[in-house]
């Protein structure tokens, strides 16, 4: 049975940290499921780590639906959360409902995530009221990067910290089942986590959140040399893979690959008949040329 928001809430009730990882394709989704991750986020970070953009702004609803459908198709247990891309939920609540509905029906997700605090709370309320589980996302909101002027830590001064507290409360009051706190000072994230009943999921928000989310590519070293301050690289898989491809290329160039183990034989009598045919054919061609 696939996890729902209840299983995540149960983890929080048991005092067990909630583990979330992003996944975008069959490869990352299967590995995360095998590692026992209870919920996968098809994040708009795919704009950077899959599509090669600098920001998530170019990611469309169709992109997230496409990747969510893959992730939900190849997994059985984790809750799949689909990120709502830039401008797919902010025009008005009806637009948000229609687009979240597509994510659930076509992408197979069991919940959606959207960026925004107090201002977005009426939209969250409307979505939750019609049965769409919503995860909030406050603090650093990469879709607002042009407004904020960069990907920077949020809530460092009193005014913005107070606003973040209000945002967190508004998201909970609107009915969200959890809220991501991105790039928020650890003491503020702790305060928010203590104040809210719903789980807080941190990314660059310290150890006191109820759970953590990380981008798959950051964890396993598949995003070049760049490791964000908030991420720990557990394996340099990019380096391992590059070396493997390099060895393959060297083997092909030196004719060490493929060898007999990776090639297919044919029966001697068939080959002999074929060669006789080929000899006869080339003889006929020579005659015709004379
Ligand atoms: O898009 C994403 O991957 C995210 C997480 C980093 C929270 O929003």
């Amino acid at each position: 049975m696939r996890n729902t928001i209840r299983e995540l809430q149960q983890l929080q009730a048991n005092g067990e940290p909630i583990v979330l990882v992003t996944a975008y394709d069959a490869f990352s989704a299967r590995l995360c499921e095998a590692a026992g991750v209870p919920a996968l986020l098809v994040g708009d970070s795919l704009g950077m780590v899959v599509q090669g953009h600098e920001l998530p702004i170019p990611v469309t609803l169709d992109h997230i639906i496409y990747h969510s459908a893959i992730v939900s198709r190849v997994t059985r247990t984790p809750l799949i959360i689909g990120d709502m891309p830039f401008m797919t939920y902010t025009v008005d609540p009806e637009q948000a409902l229609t687009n979240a509905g597509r994510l659930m029906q076509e992408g197979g997700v069991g919940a959606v995530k959207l960026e925004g605090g107090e201002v977005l709370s009426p939209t969250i309320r409307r979505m939750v009221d019609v049965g769409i589980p919503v995860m909030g996302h406050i603090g650093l909101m990469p879709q607002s990067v042009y407004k904020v002027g960069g990907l920077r830590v949020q809530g460092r001064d009193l005014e913005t910290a107070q606003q973040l507290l209000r945002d967190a409360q508004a998201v909970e009051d609107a009915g969200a089942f959890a809220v991501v706190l991105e790039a928020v000072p650890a003491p503020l994230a702790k305060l928010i986590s203590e104040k809210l009943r719903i789980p807080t999921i941190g990314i660059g928000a310290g150890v006191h959140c109820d759970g953590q989310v990380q981008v798959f590519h950051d964890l396993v070293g598949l995003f070049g040399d760049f490791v964000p301050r908030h991420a720990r690289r557990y394996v340099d898989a990019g380096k391992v893979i590059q070396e493997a491809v390099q060895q393959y290329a060297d083997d092909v160039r030196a004719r060490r690959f493929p060898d007999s183990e990776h090639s297919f034989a044919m029966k001697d009598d068939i080959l002999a008949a074929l060669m006789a045919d080929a000899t006869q054919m080339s003889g006929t061609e020579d005659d015709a040329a004379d």
Side-chain angles (χ1 to χ4, degrees):
M1 169 69 190
R2 195 177 279 287
N3 289 339
T4 65
I5 63 172
R6 282 174 68 95
E7 278 68 36
L8 300 196
Q9 285 163 342
Q10 196 54 53
L11 287 171
Q12 183 199 24
N14 297 343
E16 276 182 59
I18 302 167
V19 181
L20 260 89
V21 183
T22 64
Y24 319 97
D25 50 26
F27 167 76
S28 53
R30 285 192 177 120
L31 292 178
C32 291
E33 177 168 37
V37 175
L40 300 176
L41 171 67
V42 184
D44 63 2
S45 49
L46 73 84
M48 286 81 88
V49 299
V50 176
Q51 298 175 332
H53 296 295
E54 278 189 16
L55 293 169
I57 308 292
V59 176
T60 68
L61 186 67
D62 284 337
H63 295 157
I64 297 284
I65 289 174
Y66 173 85
H67 288 275
S68 299
I70 295 171
V71 170
S72 56
R73 186 183 313 132
V74 302
T75 55
R76 293 173 63 82
T77 315
L79 169 67
I80 313 297
I81 304 165
D83 221 354
M84 299 204 62
F86 181 61
M87 291 305 290
T88 63
Y89 54 96
T90 41
V91 174
D92 59 44
E94 303 315 303
Q95 179 216 25
L97 287 187
T98 308
N99 288 335
R102 281 195 63 202
L103 250 176
M104 294 182 81
Q105 289 187 307
E106 299 171 43
V109 306
V112 302
K113 176 171 85 59
L114 52 81
E115 296 181 6
E118 267 185 323
V119 175
L120 259 293
S121 59
T123 299
I124 297 175
R125 174 86 273 156
R126 183 91 174 85
M127 294 166 82
V128 174
D129 280 350
V130 297
I132 300 170
V134 178
M135 172 182 255
H137 181 155
I138 61 171
L140 171 60
M141 296 182 284
Q143 292 173 16
S144 303
V145 62
Y146 287 121
K147 177 180 154 204
V148 183
L151 298 171
R152 56 186 80 244
V153 177
Q154 301 295 302
R156 275 192 156 142
D157 57 60
L158 181 62
E159 201 183 321
T160 54
Q162 285 170 333
Q163 181 60 50
L164 272 177
L165 271 167
R166 286 195 295 274
D167 285 337
Q169 193 60 61
V171 167
E172 171 168 295
D173 292 346
F177 71 90
V179 61
V180 169
L181 306 180
E182 179 163 355
V184 171
L188 175 58
K190 180 170 188 279
L191 200 64
I192 294 174
S193 303
E194 285 164 0
K195 196 161 171 276
L196 296 192
R197 281 174 290 107
I198 59 172
T200 55
I201 308 294
I203 174 163
V207 76
H208 296 290
C209 295
D210 299 293
Q212 300 290 331
V213 59
Q214 286 288 316
V215 171
F216 177 83
H217 291 58
D218 293 338
L219 294 179
V220 299
L222 285 178
F223 195 48
D225 291 333
F226 178 67
V227 187
R229 167 82 199 282
H230 59 68
R232 181 179 291 162
R233 179 178 281 189
Y234 287 86
V235 59
D236 198 347
K239 188 161 170 269
V240 173
I241 292 169
Q242 187 185 322
E243 282 168 8
V245 175
Q246 185 66 60
Q247 283 173 24
Y248 159 70
D250 292 347
D251 282 352
V252 169
R253 290 183 189 119
R255 298 197 186 281
R256 283 191 299 265
F257 180 88
D259 52 19
S260 56
E261 197 191 332
H262 302 101
S263 305
F264 303 95
M266 67 192 292
K267 287 191 176 129
D268 288 347
D269 55 338
I270 296 180
L271 181 60
L274 202 60
M275 284 168 73
D277 272 4
T279 313
Q280 205 175 8
M281 274 169 66
S282 71
T284 316
E285 277 164 23
D286 290 348
D287 291 350
D290 283 344

